[in-house]
Amino acid sequence: MPLTSLQRRVLTASLLAPAAILAVLVLPDPAFALVLGLILLGAAWEWSALAGLTTPAMRLAYLALLVVTLLLLRGFLPPAGLVALLVLVSLGWWLLAVALFRLREISAASGPDPRVLVAGLVILGAAWLALCRLHEAPQGPHLVLFLLLLIWTADIAAFFTGRRWGKAKLAPVLSPGKTWAGVQGAGVGAAALGLALGLGLGLSPPALLGALVLCLATALISVVGDLFESLLKRRRGLKDSGCLLPGHGGLLDRIDSLLAAAPFFVLGLIGLGITP
């Protein structure tokens, strides 16, 4: 009997999640940066198609450009510059959220879109830099793992609460399956993990409140990452960014939430003094 879509998703996730956890906790910082960079190169390959690049040569050139971008960010961006980048990228995601929720129709795209190509370099580069910075911090691997658990929990809670109670659509033009009930479920799950984070770190009451707000906002902005990728796919008439992962589509389909959440989460940890 063939597996259902949900069964394929669960099977794939049950294989990928332990591998991701092991990589985060075991790999030294340079190896983690390298593995994460390779994953983002795979995501950039899919992004290049969503941006309208059609030939292998053009898409490989885009990957090379991303490598140069990562190396420049890693080698020449000072700490203050990193914070400024995280602020700008996070602000960009929140502004994008406003634009996405006001969207009423999607125009089909044809040919290369320079705006999407540049956005991909910025989004992938900022997420990579933020996660590398977090992994290098005191308790960094555990904080990276917490971020992954936060996104996974929000995603799972949104899926099941949406299926059970979802009626009002969140953004029907972009993602008909997402509901406001699902967002509320994601918020509850994120708040519970925020409380666990604060108590685990022994934070003061004001800092604990900050951790709760940060986790809730991170879960919300992760939804924006998902919706933005949905927009890019719909502009090209695609259901998935790729077919690498059974039941999950492509790499971008699995990390779109993380791409939006990582810069904001790391910025929040810096603001709360949890990460120097």
Side-chain angles (χ1 to χ4, degrees):
M1 179 180 298
L3 297 176
T4 66
S5 176
L6 179 58
Q7 289 172 331
R8 289 197 301 270
R9 287 172 65 91
V10 171
L11 178 60
T12 302
S14 66
L15 296 175
L16 291 179
I21 293 171
L22 188 65
V24 169
L25 295 179
V26 173
L27 292 178
D29 295 333
F32 173 79
L34 176 61
V35 170
L36 179 61
L38 292 175
I39 293 172
L40 292 185
L41 283 177
W45 176 263
E46 297 174 354
W47 189 289
S48 66
L50 298 180
L53 301 185
T54 55
T55 67
M58 295 172 67
R59 297 175 71 180
L60 287 172
Y62 187 67
L63 266 61
L65 188 56
L66 177 62
V67 171
V68 172
T69 301
L70 298 183
L71 293 176
L72 289 175
L73 288 173
R74 187 68 169 172
F76 297 100
L77 192 67
L82 170 62
V83 173
L85 176 64
L86 296 182
V87 169
L88 290 174
V89 171
S90 298
L91 179 60
W93 278 113
W94 287 115
L95 292 175
L96 182 60
V98 175
L100 291 176
F101 284 116
R102 295 177 61 184
L103 192 65
R104 293 297 176 266
E105 62 178 357
I106 300 174
S107 301
S110 61
D113 189 331
R115 297 171 301 173
V116 177
L117 290 169
V118 173
L121 296 177
V122 174
I123 290 171
L124 294 170
W128 180 78
L129 202 60
L131 289 168
C132 289
R133 163 69 183 273
L134 184 58
H135 196 268
E136 295 166 354
Q139 304 184 59
H142 294 94
L143 290 173
V144 173
L145 178 58
F146 177 86
L147 174 59
L148 295 180
L149 292 175
L150 175 63
I151 294 173
W152 295 341
T153 299
D155 186 49
I156 293 170
F159 179 78
F160 285 105
T161 55
R163 287 187 63 176
R164 176 62 179 85
W165 293 288
K167 293 182 179 179
K169 301 299 183 182
L170 176 66
V173 174
L174 294 170
S175 185
K178 286 184 170 54
T179 64
W180 284 105
V183 172
Q184 293 167 6
V188 171
L193 279 182
L195 179 62
L197 174 66
L199 294 176
L201 295 175
L203 300 181
S204 64
L208 176 59
L209 177 60
L212 285 171
V213 172
L214 173 61
C215 289
L216 178 58
T218 299
L220 294 178
I221 204 170
S222 72
V223 176
V224 180
D226 192 322
L227 291 177
F228 182 54
E229 197 220 352
S230 294
L231 171 62
L232 297 182
K233 290 187 294 187
R234 289 183 178 278
R235 291 173 75 239
R236 302 287 172 179
L238 299 174
K239 183 180 183 296
D240 297 314
S241 65
C243 56
L244 180 65
L245 307 175
H248 289 267
L251 279 173
L252 271 177
D253 294 318
R254 286 301 86 212
I255 66 170
D256 49 9
S257 299
L258 180 63
L259 294 177
F264 181 77
F265 183 72
V266 174
L267 180 64
L269 291 182
I270 294 173
L272 291 172
I274 296 175
T275 298

